[in-house]
Amino acid sequence: MSVPRSVAAHRQEVVELLTGVLAGKDKIALPLLDALGRALAVDVYAPLSLPPFANSQMDGFAVRSADIPDGGAELRVAEPVPAGAAPAALKPGFAAPIMTGAMMPAGADAVVPIEKASPNTFPDPDAGQAVVELPAAPPGTYVRDSGSDIRKGTLALAAGTRMGPAQLGLLAALGMRTVDVRRPCRVLLVTTGDEVVEPGEELTAGKIFDSNGTLLEASMLQAGLDVVRAGISDDHPSGLLRVLRRHIGPADSMVDLIVTTGGVSKGAYEVVRQAMEDQPVDFLPVAMQPGGPQGLGTFDGVPFLGFPGNPVSCLVSFEMFLRPALSQILGTPAPRPVLRARLAEPLTSPEGKHQVRRGTLDPDGKVRMEGGAGSHLVHALARANALVQIPGDVTELAEGDEVEVWML
């Protein structure tokens, strides 16, 4: 009997299995908003400086600091500088009304905020020559220098960076309309089992509706994967082999990974195990509950992961192994937020197994369990917003004990 592999060791095996095929994925140019959640394929260097010109940080008066002694000075008012205008050079002895973000006139090196001026309003441009009394302002006061955010030619974003709103906003500020991102991983998803039928079909005696396909496809799409659904394969190995080869042949050579659900345990009708007899695939126990039985290897050269058939088991398998591996290799999806919370109730866990329980983290910082440890409790899973992580060396926890939770 094989010794169960640790969760960390199995996750590393998944990383090693996928690294070669996924790290070498080619790139695709996408419009900025279509790149949301994707990972950069290349380093991006700034094609211009930000700000591209020195501009005012305040509504006020652009001045030559040398024109104003320590005690202040009265200056003549020049033409105003609205945002978006290219102003004339500022003459000595003049102060130019300037708006926030407007370009600093040549010669001006400081801005005096409007509230420090006397009068503290902008003069009417049609009222003739006006004067304003201003206090001294050292050079650089309330001025955003060109390149103070980023200079032309410097690294803006490194390859592998996840494209969130802030990153896309930076690229837009740099004038870019498209960006090169890594092409998403394409996954062939196969549900197995004679007992499983598609939702909406007639549910006869002994049959159940397939929830795994929807559960995993939704998880994969949320993680940025390109999913190919192969439908439901029966419990005949020859049938499963036909389904797999139909989708990974030359016409579908872009498939990067195969994921199956069900048929990986040691029972009499474990179709995935039987179909993989001649393939370099290992079926082994992982010291985790739920999701202990796992399959890992290659099928006709394509990376293969076999998840258990119970709904919670397959979802936990995805969250514990595939999703973190994708994050590590591709830079996307973002890892699940990890928090510490206190238990709202006591619980027990089997010795030697890393237990993953479904829970709800409440606003008061306490996490309460949703349902028991069973791998069939889909309703409890639907109520949960977190996965509660209980290490294999922990068998009992009291109310108020601290645990690690992964937010869903």
Side-chain angles (χ1 to χ4, degrees):
M1 181 176 179
S2 58
V3 176
R5 176 184 287 171
S6 71
V7 168
H10 192 70
R11 184 182 299 138
Q12 183 58 34
E13 287 288 332
V14 174
V15 169
E16 293 174 4
L17 174 70
L18 299 179
T19 293
V21 65
L22 297 186
K25 293 286 288 182
D26 57 352
K27 61 186 179 181
I28 180 173
L30 293 178
L32 293 189
L33 289 180
D34 291 345
L36 181 65
R38 304 290 188 93
L40 268 182
V42 296
D43 291 340
V44 174
Y45 292 88
L48 54 92
S49 293
L50 291 181
F53 49 83
N55 66 86
S56 176
Q57 189 177 338
M58 304 282 286
D59 289 348
F61 289 90
V63 298
R64 294 172 175 265
S65 59
D67 287 345
I68 308 176
D70 290 343
E74 186 177 83
L75 302 177
R76 286 175 289 177
V77 178
E79 289 292 319
V81 184
L90 185 67
K91 298 177 182 179
F94 280 79
I98 192 168
M99 305 302 110
T100 301
M103 185 176 186
M104 292 288 290
D109 62 358
V111 172
V112 178
I114 183 67
E115 57 267 23
K116 293 186 177 181
S118 181
N120 60 358
T121 59
F122 291 133
D124 183 350
D126 298 326
Q129 185 67 62
V131 295
V132 63
E133 187 172 340
L134 300 173
T141 301
Y142 294 117
V143 175
R144 302 169 178 145
D145 289 328
S146 173
S148 57
D149 188 2
I150 185 172
R151 293 194 176 279
K152 180 179 179 179
T154 59
L155 181 66
L157 295 171
T161 301
R162 282 186 296 276
M163 295 291 94
Q167 291 73 32
L168 295 174
L170 170 61
L171 298 183
L174 291 170
M176 300 175 63
R177 298 180 64 183
T178 63
V179 62
D180 289 337
V181 296
R182 291 171 175 165
R183 194 178 295 275
C185 173
R186 193 173 192 217
V187 181
L188 175 62
L189 177 58
V190 186
T191 301
T192 68
D194 283 338
E195 78 282 10
V196 183
V197 298
E198 294 284 2
E201 294 185 0
E202 182 182 3
L203 194 66
T204 57
K207 303 291 186 179
I208 60 172
F209 289 125
D210 174 30
S211 61
N212 289 354
T214 298
L215 186 61
L216 276 182
E217 183 176 9
S219 297
M220 291 174 175
L221 291 174
Q222 189 182 65
L225 280 67
D226 181 9
V227 184
V228 178
R229 285 285 291 274
I232 300 171
S233 175
D234 60 25
D235 280 335
H236 297 281
S238 59
L240 176 56
L241 291 172
R242 285 194 299 271
V243 169
L244 294 177
R245 292 197 167 111
R246 184 168 67 245
H247 285 85
I248 66 169
D252 291 279
S253 58
M254 291 296 289
V255 170
D256 302 303
L257 172 65
I258 300 167
V259 174
T260 62
T261 69
V264 297
S265 298
K266 294 185 177 182
Y269 302 103
E270 302 299 334
V271 61
V272 176
R273 293 178 71 106
Q274 295 170 359
M276 298 292 164
E277 283 183 352
D278 297 328
Q279 299 285 336
V281 175
D282 293 326
F283 293 92
L284 68 161
V286 175
M288 181 175 76
Q289 184 190 58
Q294 295 287 326
L296 180 145
T298 60
F299 176 83
D300 288 356
V302 179
F304 166 85
L305 294 176
F307 291 161
N310 281 314
V312 178
S313 295
C314 74
L315 187 279
V316 167
S317 298
F318 173 80
E319 292 289 342
M320 297 297 291
F321 302 127
L322 181 52
R323 198 178 194 278
L326 294 170
S327 298
Q328 181 174 335
I329 300 167
L330 297 178
T332 184
R336 291 295 190 189
V338 178
L339 304 175
R340 303 294 296 183
R342 296 197 176 278
L343 287 172
E345 61 201 77
L347 58 80
T348 60
S349 184
E351 184 177 1
K353 288 188 176 182
H354 182 114
Q355 191 177 64
V356 183
R357 293 284 296 272
R358 280 67 63 206
T360 295
L361 182 62
D362 291 327
D364 62 2
K366 291 183 179 180
V367 61
R368 51 187 170 81
M369 299 302 101
E370 295 289 358
S375 57
H376 65 293
L377 302 174
V378 183
H379 186 206
L381 176 64
R383 296 195 304 267
N385 66 9
L387 296 178
V388 182
Q389 309 288 336
I390 305 168
D393 60 353
V394 175
T395 58
E396 292 187 19
L397 289 168
E399 178 182 348
D401 281 351
E402 194 174 71
V403 291
E404 178 178 293
V405 297
W406 293 11
M407 299 307 298
L408 295 175

